[in-house]
Amino acid sequence: MIRIAACGLNFADLLMIEGKYQEKPPLPATLGLELAGTVESLGPDADPSLLGRRVAVYAGSGGLADYGCFPADRCVPLPDSMGVEEAAAFQIAYGTSHVALDHKARLQPGETLLVLGAAGGVGLTAVEIGKLMGARVIACARGADKLAAAKAAGADHLIDSETEDLRMAVKALGGADVVYDPVGGDQFKAAFRACNPEARIIVIGFASGEVPQISANHLLVKNISVIGLYWGGYMAFRPEVLTGSMATLFGWHAAGRLKPHISHVLPLERAAEALELLRGRKSTGKVVVTML
């Protein structure tokens, strides 16, 4: 049992409200996929060293509460360098981007990475991790403020999705070797057409609301790979991918190489307002709800 201090919100929470997420907890359900807090009590088979420890948990649901009971093997002890608000915002966003770019796309130093939705919760971490892995990063986001956040995270080139032709802008920069796409829709189509031969497109989600259709003959002609990633799904069949990734990420954070960006911190009684920030795309990086 954990006394919850903070809960990080994700676009998936909005999909759960609408019954559109790939995992559907039985109703009534409490939202909140990821959280951080202090372990207050343990079941008989849990590691006793966890008692009293500050931990982060990928819960799947239940984070928007004062207390919650979660599997002990999902509790990750926090390093002293990480506060609970950072921890609540860390696992899904950084984990998704690291597994996507390292494990799935095999991003190499010197390659060009195009990040769509580059100022969002996962997009901003993809910019940061891609730069850390030695890529040249093109960030696509809407408006000057969001592009400024992407630039601060390490982006080399910026594209405003409101005013610029995405395909032409990426082609002018030499094309993309890897595309990180949490948006879908028209941006997927434009990015697809701006890919270099043997490019890898990582499908993260569909924030635009449109699931794009892919022409298989175009994949064939340009030798392009389209790779799906559902980060939480690895819990069921290869949890070691996530634990290994998280160990790397916590190490990078402790060394000062990652700087989580949280744009809004709101108390639990304003959780609906916090979710509306995501729905209205008014946030950059992460939105966190606190209970203390």
Side-chain angles (χ1 to χ4, degrees), residues 56 73 219 231:
D73 60 4
L219 295 177
W231 181 82

Side-chain angles (χ1 to χ4, degrees), residues 34-51:
E34 59 182 333
L35 59 101
T38 303
V39 177
E40 296 230 333
S41 63
L42 296 167
D45 298 322
D47 179 357
S49 70
L50 286 173
L51 191 61

Side-chain angles (χ1 to χ4, degrees), residues 85-254:
E85 291 176 7
E86 277 192 327
F90 193 84
Q91 288 191 92
I92 293 177
Y94 279 101
T96 295
S97 293
H98 184 249
V99 172
L101 297 177
D102 183 58
H103 178 70
K104 299 290 280 187
R106 307 294 183 188
L107 179 68
Q108 300 299 307
E111 288 191 311
T112 297
L113 167 66
L114 170 62
V115 180
L116 306 180
V122 292
L124 208 57
T125 63
V127 171
E128 191 176 6
I129 290 173
K131 191 64 179 175
L132 195 55
M133 293 176 67
R136 183 178 69 130
V137 180
I138 304 172
C140 178
R142 181 181 299 176
D145 290 346
K146 292 189 174 184
L147 288 172
K151 183 173 180 61
D156 298 289
H157 303 281
L158 306 173
I159 298 173
D160 191 330
S161 61
E162 282 190 317
T163 61
E164 296 183 68
D165 183 311
L166 175 60
R167 179 198 175 199
M168 296 303 294
V170 175
K171 294 281 281 185
L173 292 168
D177 301 309
V178 175
V179 177
Y180 182 98
D181 181 17
V183 177
D186 290 339
Q187 288 194 27
F188 175 94
K189 298 170 190 174
F192 186 100
R193 298 178 70 189
C195 280
N196 293 326
E198 292 198 321
R200 291 88 74 202
I201 303 175
I202 318 163
V203 177
I204 304 296
F206 313 104
S208 67
E210 180 187 343
V211 178
Q213 302 303 302
I214 300 169
S215 298
N217 58 321
H218 294 169
L219 295 177
L220 181 153
V221 170
K222 294 183 73 173
N223 289 287
I224 292 175
S225 300
V226 178
I227 305 167
L229 175 68
Y230 168 37
W231 181 82
Y234 276 92
M235 282 285 187
F237 68 97
R238 285 196 66 192
E240 71 276 7
V241 171
L242 302 190
T243 54
S245 170
M246 205 52 58
T248 297
L249 290 167
F250 275 127
W252 284 349
H253 182 276

